[in-house]
Amino acid sequence: MKSISPDLEEKKAAQAFAGMEYFEAIERGELPYPPLLQTLDFKVISVKEGEAVFAFQPQQMHYNSLGTVHGGVIAALLDTAMGCSLHTLLPAHTTYTTLELKTNFLKAATIESGELTAVGKVIHRGRTTAFLEAQLLNQAGSVFAHGVSTCLLLNS
């Protein structure tokens, strides 16, 4: 995973790509991965139109004081999967920002949970807003968290 944080020129270049072209440029090494992926040790599993899949192996660095993965880490993973699922459908020079993010935590995640996978999908993309959802699953398909998001579409 390339670990360069995006500078202003890279941000402008990223916005010039249509959604799937952006992810293809990352895959080719022409653009860096977002720094958050390296910071929280998230992995890109797959990205296709309207869907993005990310995973992480819980580690102690993800823990809260109770010895479980902090809810903010889980929310960040779900938000990443949802945002990238939307990004795949956007034309060049269109960006987005999260207006609302809701996460339901169903099970505590720990190192013993094994690798967890977030699957983000677009529910609806309109002219100015989009509605998204994601689930956090373990290898057996058990749901640990569910998230929904509303994003505002912006022309850059």
Side-chain angles (χ1 to χ4, degrees):
M1 180 181 310
K2 198 172 176 185
S3 64
I4 302 170
S5 69
D7 64 19
L8 184 58
E9 290 307 310
E10 289 168 332
K11 288 179 193 177
K12 287 180 185 176
Q15 293 174 6
F17 287 97
M20 283 306 298
E21 292 172 351
Y22 170 73
F23 292 103
E24 290 163 0
I26 290 174
E27 196 170 294
R28 290 189 303 268
E30 296 169 9
L31 292 173
Y33 284 97
L36 178 72
L37 297 184
Q38 183 177 11
T39 301
L40 294 176
D41 201 24
F42 295 166
K43 296 186 301 187
V44 180
I45 302 301
S46 67
V47 179
K48 61 184 182 183
E49 287 193 14
E51 181 181 287
V53 181
F54 289 80
F56 86 114
Q57 172 63 51
Q59 302 168 51
Q60 284 188 333
M61 71 175 189
H62 297 124
Y63 276 18
N64 58 27
S65 60
L66 301 174
T68 60
V69 175
H70 190 282
V73 173
I74 292 169
L77 183 62
L78 293 174
D79 187 47
T80 298
M82 288 186 282
C84 288
S85 72
L86 172 60
H87 198 146
T88 66
L89 301 178
L90 298 181
H93 306 290
T94 302
T95 61
Y96 60 94
T97 189
T98 301
L99 290 173
E100 177 183 49
L101 174 65
K102 180 180 187 284
T103 305
N104 291 316
F105 302 98
L106 306 173
K107 295 181 181 184
T110 65
I111 292 169
E112 290 76 28
S113 301
E115 185 175 75
L116 299 174
T117 303
V119 180
K121 296 181 180 181
V122 176
I123 298 169
H124 174 77
R125 187 189 108 210
R127 201 172 45 78
T128 58
T129 57
F131 303 97
L132 318 163
E133 71 176 343
Q135 287 191 327
L136 183 67
L137 309 159
N138 69 2
Q139 299 289 353
S142 187
V143 180
F144 279 64
H146 178 264
V148 291
S149 178
T150 305
C151 288
L152 176 66
L153 302 177
L154 306 163
N155 292 322
S156 59

